[in-house]
């Protein structure tokens, strides 16, 4: 190591604040890039997908996230935020390189596909023309950051110093901008004082509001992210397991959740019984965690997550069974599906319970008419044969049964009178427990919900 390598702090070549790159400009990366520009940094977003980069460069967001389009347009317009497919350009431009590429579930396996992260880290390490910091934000199996740091050191240019940190991301789709600009905590795993210093500079705005900054080692930082997701998934499956109980014995799952939620040690959030979790994070993250822990020889330690996953997937079966009970043979029956995104205020349909259910009903012979306020296009890429329409009214028109599967506000606010003259039969399944059952039953609807005992269908417990 030369004296310059060892002693030269990572300082921007130009005066002023460090220049940032964000490698991978999907849901996480595009949000991070635009939010960092909003905080006053010069940012360069990098992706291997030229179509995405062209759209972002024109200020067009290729997905839906509240408030993000406005930030993107503002900062691409001002020239503070640019996009490229060139890693070389990023290597010349940046002092801090954020890695935000995908870590999807491997095809046919439960472990995470690390090939995108490995490629991105090696490429930026090789491209960096001056001392710089690589910061991983993607969700990775424990042990990855240490190995990726070693990889970066192998690929870096002679005379260039690369510092390394892992800074997991906790943003929620639907609140991504707010969560990035005002995070509830910052977690940084590193053994580098330079990385610590630079990241405190990058996150100075949040730190000025006393946001907790948790400086730790690589392993803890990696585990914090997957532990948080495993906990949230468990909480959802916990209440959904009780749904299976109330479906059998009776009782009100919403009141149960409210009542235990008043206990501050438990809390009410993430206790909404329904079709379960989905999206690009929770399902694959709990599977990857189990896979990684298994590789470490600790198979039994996380085996409860297998049950969490199974409870979650059984909720989808339950909706299909409820439809079968109501309709009998599904051939030729018309089913209205309201909502296909995995959660409201997002167009993300990755592992979406709603879209999975819609596809299964189609496969069973039904004519499935779908409306999602933002996710029709993404849904059609996965299930082109469903009938996509542009309004609730068009979706429910002549329906034998209506399914509310994603709790967009427009569906939550729906009243029986809004649609009762449009449907063929007044039957509704509330897959998110957001409608008022009494109102619907009083209006003459057959009402079903997850966690609700079907009247006269299952044996009473005496
Ligand atoms: P995404 O699929 O939307 O985006 C990933 C992007 O990386 C794509 O645009 C892809 O083209 C690009 N990419 C792949 N290889 C590349 C390479 N070598 N160089 C440059 N770009 C490359 O995924 P996402 O939802 O943004 O998730 C990214 C990571 O963040 C994952 O690990 C995920 O678990 C984690 N995460 C996501 C969220 C979320 O809400 N989406 C929240 C927290 C953490």
């Amino acid at each position: 190591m030369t004296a310059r390598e060892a002693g030269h702090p990572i300082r921007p070549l130009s005066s002023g604040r460090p220049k940032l790159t964000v490698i991978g400009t999907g849901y996480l990366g595009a949000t991070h890039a635009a939010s960092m520009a909003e905080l006053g940094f010069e940012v360069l977003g990098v992706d291997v997908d030229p179509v995405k980069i062209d759209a972002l460069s024109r200020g067009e967001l290729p997905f839906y996230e509240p408030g993000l389009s406005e930030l993107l347009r503002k900062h691409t317009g001002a020239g503070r935020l640019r996009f490229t497919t060139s890693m070389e350009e990023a290597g010349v431009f940046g002092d801090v390189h954020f890695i935000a590429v995908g870590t999807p579930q491997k095809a046919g396996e439960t472990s995470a596909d690390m090939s995108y992260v490995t490629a991105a880290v090696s490429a930026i390490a090789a491209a960096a023309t001056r001392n710089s910091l690589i910061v991983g934000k993607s969700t990775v199996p424990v042990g990855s950051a240490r190995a990726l740091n070693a990889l970066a050191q192998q690929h870096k240019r002679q005379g260039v110093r690369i510092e390394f940190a892992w800074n997991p991301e906790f943003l929620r789709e639907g609140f991504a901008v707010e969560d990035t600009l005002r995070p509830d905590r910052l977690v940084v795993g590193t053994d580098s004082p330079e990385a610590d210093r630079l990241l405190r500079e990058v996150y100075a705005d949040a730190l000025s509001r006393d946001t907790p900054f948790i400086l730790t080692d690589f392993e803890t930082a990696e585990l914090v992210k997957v532990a948080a997701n495993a906990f949230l998934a468990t909480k959802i499956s916990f209440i959904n397991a009780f749904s299976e109980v109330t479906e059998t014995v009776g009782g009100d799952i919403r009141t149960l959740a409210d009542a235990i939620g008043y206990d501050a040690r438990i809390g009410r959030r993430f206790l909404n019984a329904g079709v379960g979790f989905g999206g690009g994070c929770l399902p694959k993250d709990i599977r990857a965690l189990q896979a990684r822990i298994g590789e470490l020889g600790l198979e039994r330690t996380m085996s409860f997550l297998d049950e969490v996953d199974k409870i979650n997937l059984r909720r989808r079966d339950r909706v299909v069974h409820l439809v079968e009970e109501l309709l009998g043979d599904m051939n030729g029956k018309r089913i209205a599906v309201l909502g296909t995104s995995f959660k409201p205020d997002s167009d993300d349909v990755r592992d979406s319970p709603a879209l999975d259910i819609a596809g299964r009903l189609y496969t069973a012979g039904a004519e499935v008419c779908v409306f999602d306020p933002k996710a029709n296009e993404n849904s059609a890429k996965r299930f082109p044969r469903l009938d996509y329409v542009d309004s609730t009214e068009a979706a429910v028109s002549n329906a034998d049964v209506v399914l509310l599967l994603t709790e967009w506000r427009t569906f939550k606010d729906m009243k029986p009178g809004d649609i009762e003259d449009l449907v063929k039969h007044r039957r509704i399944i509330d897959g998110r427990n957001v409608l008022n059952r009494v109102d619907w039953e009083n209006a003459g609807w057959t009402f079903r919900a997850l966690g609700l005992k079907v009247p006269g269908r299952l044996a009473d417990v005496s």
Side-chain angles (χ1 to χ4, degrees):
M1 191 183 280
T2 65
R4 180 168 169 263
E5 259 187 283
H8 188 65
I10 301 164
R11 271 271 162 230
L13 290 182
S14 56
S15 60
R17 310 172 86 181
K19 291 184 178 172
L20 315 182
T21 79
V22 179
I23 299 165
T25 57
Y27 283 92
L28 163 59
T31 307
H32 194 69
S35 301
M36 292 299 114
E38 176 71 4
L39 293 175
F41 293 96
E42 270 189 72
V43 185
L44 182 65
V46 189
D47 205 287
V48 288
D49 180 346
V51 177
K52 196 173 275 188
I53 288 299
D54 280 351
L56 289 165
S57 299
R58 290 193 303 272
E60 290 168 17
L61 191 63
F63 56 89
Y64 175 70
E65 179 62 42
L68 188 53
S69 278
E70 291 78 355
L71 282 195
L72 179 69
R73 276 200 301 274
K74 177 175 163 192
H75 296 297
T76 48
R80 191 181 285 162
L81 173 60
R82 293 184 301 111
F83 293 92
T84 183
T85 54
S86 165
M87 202 61 94
E88 286 65 38
E89 191 182 343
V92 173
F93 177 86
D95 302 295
V96 180
H97 305 285
F98 288 101
I99 306 292
V101 301
T103 48
Q105 190 173 333
K106 273 188 197 159
E109 292 181 38
T110 53
S111 56
D113 181 347
M114 286 292 290
S115 60
Y116 305 101
V117 176
T118 307
V121 168
S122 337
I124 192 60
T129 55
R130 65 175 187 275
N131 294 351
S132 45
L133 167 64
I134 298 178
V135 185
K137 292 199 77 62
S138 306
T139 305
V140 294
V142 63
S144 304
R146 207 164 281 282
L148 289 162
N149 183 21
L151 191 73
Q153 304 310 325
Q154 272 170 33
H155 282 80
K156 69 178 183 180
R157 297 180 184 204
Q158 227 184 350
V160 169
R161 185 166 125 215
I162 302 280
E163 303 290 333
F164 206 83
W166 213 264
N167 168 219
E169 178 59 56
F170 303 100
L171 68 78
R172 300 161 298 163
E173 286 180 22
F175 305 90
V177 172
E178 177 68 15
D179 287 350
T180 308
L181 292 176
R182 275 169 281 278
D184 49 16
R185 79 285 211 193
L186 291 157
V187 175
V188 172
T190 189
D191 51 12
S192 154
E194 274 297 288
D196 176 22
R197 184 187 65 75
L198 263 175
L199 284 170
R200 284 180 198 269
E201 197 173 337
V202 169
Y203 293 127
D205 182 71
L207 295 179
S208 72
R209 288 187 303 274
D210 290 334
T211 306
F213 184 91
I214 298 149
L215 182 66
T216 182
D217 50 48
F218 288 139
E219 289 75 16
T220 308
E222 294 164 324
L223 284 171
V224 169
K225 174 65 191 172
V226 290
N229 277 358
F231 190 86
L232 294 173
T234 304
K235 207 169 170 190
I236 296 169
S237 281
F238 179 87
I239 197 68
N240 280 336
F242 274 89
S243 272
E244 295 186 354
V245 178
T246 54
E247 278 160 12
T248 304
V249 303
D252 183 342
I253 193 69
R254 288 200 239 185
T255 305
L256 172 67
D258 290 343
I260 62 172
Y262 282 118
D263 185 330
R265 294 168 303 175
I266 296 173
R268 179 62 175 82
R269 296 174 75 189
F270 273 65
L271 281 182
N272 294 324
V275 293
F277 57 82
C281 292
L282 252 52
K284 63 123 175 131
D285 287 351
I286 61 166
R287 291 170 199 152
L289 172 59
Q290 261 189 293
R292 179 68 187 129
I293 297 302
E295 284 164 13
L296 298 170
L298 299 168
E299 287 84 358
R300 290 180 57 190
T301 306
M302 293 287 161
S303 61
F304 71 97
L305 289 177
D306 197 32
E307 204 51 52
V308 166
D309 204 3
K310 283 182 180 144
I311 293 166
N312 192 52
L313 295 176
R314 278 207 300 273
R315 294 289 76 195
R316 305 177 186 189
D317 301 341
R318 172 71 182 165
V319 176
V320 174
H321 292 157
L322 283 172
V323 174
E324 282 165 355
E325 281 178 13
L326 288 172
L327 300 187
D329 182 6
M330 276 196 242
N331 270 300
K333 299 282 168 50
R334 191 170 160 86
I335 298 174
V337 167
L338 302 180
T340 50
S341 55
F342 85 99
K343 65 189 289 194
D345 295 315
S346 171
D347 66 354
D348 195 345
V349 296
R350 290 178 288 184
D351 209 341
S352 163
L355 189 56
D356 183 30
I357 291 165
R360 286 163 65 173
L361 295 172
Y362 172 83
T363 308
E367 187 188 323
V368 180
C369 195
V370 170
F371 169 56
D372 187 285
K374 295 289 177 190
N376 273 7
E377 201 180 319
N378 282 347
S379 305
K381 285 183 198 149
R382 292 189 186 223
F383 285 96
R385 287 166 185 253
L386 308 181
D387 186 8
Y388 294 93
V389 295
D390 288 334
S391 68
T392 301
E393 290 73 21
V396 303
S397 175
N398 217 24
D400 290 286
V401 61
V402 176
L403 271 56
L404 190 167
L405 297 182
T406 310
E407 68 277 34
W408 287 90
R409 173 143 299 280
T410 179
F411 304 143
K412 283 165 78 168
D413 290 346
M414 191 169 66
K415 298 280 176 279
D418 299 339
I419 61 169
E420 63 195 10
D421 293 336
L422 301 171
V423 298
K424 186 165 173 192
H425 291 285
R426 292 182 183 184
R427 301 179 184 126
I428 189 159
I429 299 176
D430 180 1
R432 293 290 183 174
N433 275 301
V434 289
L435 299 176
N436 184 321
R437 174 168 63 95
V438 176
D439 288 351
W440 289 80
E441 287 182 345
N442 286 346
W445 287 69
T446 300
F447 187 93
R448 298 283 182 270
L450 292 174
L452 182 67
K453 187 180 175 196
V454 175
R457 172 68 181 72
L458 299 166
D460 285 327
V461 174
S462 54

